[in-house]
Amino acid sequence: MSAPERIPPRSVTPDANPAELLAHGELTVRGRIREASNAALFCTVALDGRQASCVYKPVAGERPLWDFPDGTLAGREVAAYEVSEATGWGLVPPTVLREGPYGEGMCQLWIDVHPEAELLALVDGEEPEPGWKAVGLADVGEGRTALLVHADDPRLRRLAVLDAVINNADRKGGHLLPTADGRLYGIDHGVTFNVDGKLRTLLWGWAGEPLPEEAVGVLKGLRDALDGPLGTRLATLITTAEVDATRARVDALLTSGRHPEPSGDWPAIPWPPV
């Protein structure tokens, strides 16, 4: 199936329960998103007069990963949404696991991106300007380097905390979706929840800094939820060992009270970074 010449804007009827629409609506494939490394299909979903655009990633289209041998990308994508919802921050678009035209897969609400929102930049100099946090030096070709920075934005900081919890191994710039109404979403969470430390992200600007008070409160609530319904739900999506490792990461964040720092045992920056 070919990619649409232009993926249309999200067409959605205001809906109080988009997850229900995604889970039970009629799924119609419109085209393939060619940029994705695994099968990702642009679709519409309709139910009782409601309609939305979405992304459907069938398990049958997943490529095996040697360092993520257990479970599925789709299951981890849904698990990331469940954890995001438990934080109350709503950082991951509504995401469900369902049957589709090509079998079971992840179905996620399509998000329209605000193109003028600037979250990442390459700048000259050794220190970031006010309002920005340094990530590190980047090779920009012809023997030149530039400083990679990200916005000192509370939405990004929340996402950095979520990534530390779910052990996100692939937080690229292209996975950040700011919207015109001021929301920020993160997508592509198929390589998460590994029992080994694999945090790889562009959001290192707060590394080693104390966690905001808000984040500490959220993490405490999340820890309780992991021993309750959230833990039960995650156990249907990822392995028992991965659920236990998630609890351990939350405990470690609460004990240290700080944003994690690169371990040195694993590449800290995803490639390509966007």
Side-chain angles (χ1 to χ4, degrees), residues 40-267:
L41 304 175
F42 177 73
C43 303
T44 55
V45 61
L47 178 70
D48 298 331
R50 296 173 289 164
Q51 178 175 302
S53 297
C54 59
V55 177
Y56 162 54
K57 298 181 181 180
V59 172
E62 296 181 4
R63 299 177 181 177
L65 297 173
W66 68 268
D67 52 344
F68 284 81
D70 300 317
T72 64
L73 303 180
R76 290 189 286 270
E77 293 247 31
V78 179
Y81 167 69
E82 295 287 347
V83 174
S84 168
E85 288 299 284
T87 66
W89 286 335
L91 294 169
V92 178
T95 311
V96 302
L97 196 65
R98 61 163 291 170
E99 287 293 322
Y102 300 103
E104 185 179 62
M106 178 277 278
C107 189
Q108 185 175 83
L109 190 68
W110 181 265
I111 300 296
D112 292 328
V113 177
H114 181 42
E116 296 180 3
E118 191 174 16
L119 299 174
L120 297 164
L122 286 168
V123 299
D124 293 325
E126 298 181 355
E127 295 293 333
E129 296 290 331
W132 294 87
K133 304 290 286 187
V135 179
L137 292 174
D139 184 355
V140 294
E142 299 180 354
R144 294 181 58 247
T145 59
L147 185 65
L148 176 63
V149 298
H150 65 68
D152 189 3
D153 186 315
R155 301 171 302 171
L156 283 180
R157 193 164 191 174
R158 287 175 171 179
L159 195 58
V161 174
L162 176 66
D163 283 343
V165 170
I166 67 176
N167 196 17
N168 191 351
D170 197 31
R171 176 61 70 206
K172 298 176 180 177
H175 299 168
L176 304 173
L177 304 185
T179 65
D181 63 1
R183 296 287 301 271
L184 175 68
Y185 294 98
I187 60 168
D188 284 349
H189 297 108
V191 286
T192 49
F193 294 102
N194 202 294
V195 296
D196 298 322
K198 292 185 179 290
L199 184 59
R200 189 165 56 177
T201 176
L202 291 181
L203 304 181
W204 287 115
W206 298 283
E209 293 187 13
L211 291 166
E213 184 176 339
E214 175 205 33
V216 173
V218 165
L219 288 169
K220 288 178 179 178
L222 189 60
R223 185 62 180 83
D224 291 339
L226 283 165
D227 283 336
L230 175 61
T232 301
R233 173 64 176 145
L234 291 183
T236 68
L237 300 166
I238 58 178
T239 68
T240 299
E242 288 168 338
V243 177
D244 290 342
T246 303
R247 292 191 184 96
R249 287 191 295 271
V250 174
D251 286 341
L253 287 167
L254 287 170
T255 298
S256 71
R258 295 180 178 274
H259 286 273
E261 299 181 77
S263 66
D265 299 327
W266 175 255

Side-chain angles (χ1 to χ4, degrees), residues 12-35:
V12 59
T13 303
D15 198 305
N17 191 355
E20 178 192 33
L21 174 60
L22 292 170
H24 303 294
E26 181 180 358
L27 196 61
T28 303
V29 177
R30 302 298 184 184
R32 183 171 182 176
I33 302 172
R34 290 191 178 276
E35 295 82 1

